[in-house]
Amino acid sequence: MSVTSQSHPSHAIYLDATAPLLQPRELSRRLPAVQAGGIDALLTSAGAIEDFRTTMEVIGKWLEIERSGSQKIRIARSVSDIRAAKRAGETAMVLHFQGADPIEDELDFINVFHAAGLRVMQLTYNARNRLGDGCFEPTDAGLSKFGKQVIRRMEALRVAVDLAHAGNRTALETTEVATRPVVVTHANARALMDTPRNVPDDLIKAVAASGGVIGICAVPFFLTRVGQPTLEMLIDHAAYVADLVGIAHVGLGFDFAEEDADDYIYYGYDERYVPMPPWQFPIGISSHAEAGNVASALRARGFSASDVTNVLGENFLRVFAEIWGA
């Protein structure tokens, strides 16, 4: 499938809600594909299972890139920043944690990360941590007391709560504790592909009831167990969530990755659900460079022009504006 041109309004934002490939030292190599795909903003994975110091080193590098102007990016701390970056011809980067390990056991570390630019944080990354159980834990024991304290502090600071990678009970309990919308930045519908990393209907409904959004994901083993998936399979999941809870709760979180055997061990992947890399991303949306194909695929499935604009980014921006306050 060839890359198609973007057809959503020029002022609208195309946002990838999970972009672990976009890291400081590889930014100059990665940005051309992002720009080719028409993407305006990305949530960069600045931390996950690392400690406070290691994560601050990464954030420090991001802040230096922004300060020096060495790349055409802007660290976005508000929706206004994201829109201003697009007007200035810059790519907006939102600092995102794929797990809460960087805060260690200190609530006040959330204050530090927020001051440095953190705007979205997952509670867990697959395994159990101090906050609760991840999706690959057999117990699914739910939120800890500390986890509830973290959610309250995140809401006080207006950091978005991300339920990707969380155990189902942990995630559902979070929707009960949270007073603002919660999001799942990158996952698909478990009803279509049964894996613990995808979200079941009850959680999709709970996220939607909070006012939140599900970011449909291009990770191949969240789409199929057999062969290379396709863009049409990704659209299947977008359509499923839209039919279940409404198009206002559908976004995109591609989660493109290039991991190796060392990464597989480092992140503690479960071989029952995650095959050893390299991974083949879907035909038609195998990288950021092909992101322009999504709009036409959604239109071909019957989504309206405004629906497409909202899925490509405006749904997430609506929610982030409510959470961040700007």
Side-chain angles (χ1 to χ4, degrees), residues 187-216:
N188 293 330
R190 196 177 297 183
L192 298 186
M193 175 60 187
D194 188 7
T195 174
R197 261 291 284 119
N198 283 340
V199 286
D201 286 1
D202 58 348
L203 181 55
I204 294 172
K205 291 176 180 177
V207 170
S210 81
V213 175
I214 311 289
I216 303 304

Side-chain angles (χ1 to χ4, degrees), residues 41-219:
L42 309 99
L43 271 59
T44 176
S45 303
I49 61 174
E50 295 77 20
D51 61 11
F52 177 85
R53 179 185 174 86
T54 303
T55 307
M56 285 302 292
E57 289 175 354
V58 173
I59 292 176
K61 289 180 173 64
W62 275 117
L63 296 176
E64 176 58 16
I65 291 171
E66 181 184 47
R67 185 204 67 78
S68 68
S70 62
Q71 300 285 344
K72 292 190 69 175
I73 64 105
R74 180 178 307 204
I75 306 300
R77 299 162 178 84
S78 66
V79 172
S80 297
D81 284 347
I82 292 173
R83 298 197 188 281
K86 178 167 184 171
R87 290 193 298 270
E90 300 166 340
T91 300
M93 308 298 301
V94 178
L95 299 184
H96 172 218
F97 288 175
Q98 285 209 53
D101 284 12
I103 72 170
E104 300 180 4
D105 59 357
E106 295 287 344
L107 275 177
D108 290 347
F109 282 177
I110 308 174
N111 298 44
V112 176
F113 285 127
H114 176 264
L118 177 69
R119 289 298 180 268
V120 185
M121 183 170 76
Q122 284 175 205
L123 302 182
T124 67
Y125 187 82
N126 294 335
R128 177 184 296 133
N129 64 9
R130 296 176 179 92
L131 281 66
D133 275 5
C135 62
F136 291 157
E137 289 290 347
T139 53
D140 194 15
L143 277 176
S144 67
K145 178 181 177 181
F146 183 62
K148 294 176 182 178
Q149 292 173 334
V150 167
I151 291 167
R152 286 193 287 270
R153 181 64 62 87
M154 289 173 69
E155 290 200 325
L157 292 167
R158 295 185 173 272
V159 175
V161 176
D162 180 3
L163 302 181
H165 291 267
N168 198 49
R169 182 177 168 191
T170 301
L172 287 171
E173 289 181 1
T174 299
T175 66
E176 296 168 359
V177 171
T179 62
R180 289 199 172 95
V182 296
V183 298
V184 178
T185 53
H186 58 301
N188 293 330
R190 196 177 297 183
L192 298 186
M193 175 60 187
D194 188 7
T195 174
R197 261 291 284 119
N198 283 340
V199 286
D201 286 1
D202 58 348
L203 181 55
I204 294 172
K205 291 176 180 177
V207 170
S210 81
V213 175
I214 311 289
I216 303 304
C217 186
V219 171

Side-chain angles (χ1 to χ4, degrees), residues 214-280:
I214 311 289
I216 303 304
C217 186
V219 171
F221 38 89
F222 300 164
L223 293 167
T224 184
R225 290 189 180 87
V226 180
Q228 186 175 5
T230 65
L231 172 56
E232 286 303 309
M233 292 180 181
L234 185 144
I235 302 302
D236 288 342
H237 286 265
Y240 181 88
V241 174
D243 287 343
L244 186 66
V245 294
I247 195 67
H249 305 289
V250 182
L252 299 167
F254 293 124
D255 198 23
F256 295 123
E258 293 179 5
E259 299 188 356
D260 58 23
D262 290 338
D263 295 318
Y264 194 92
I265 295 169
Y266 176 78
Y267 288 111
Y269 292 127
D270 190 321
E271 61 185 9
R272 293 174 297 173
Y273 310 115
V274 181
M276 184 69 70
W279 302 323
Q280 285 189 307

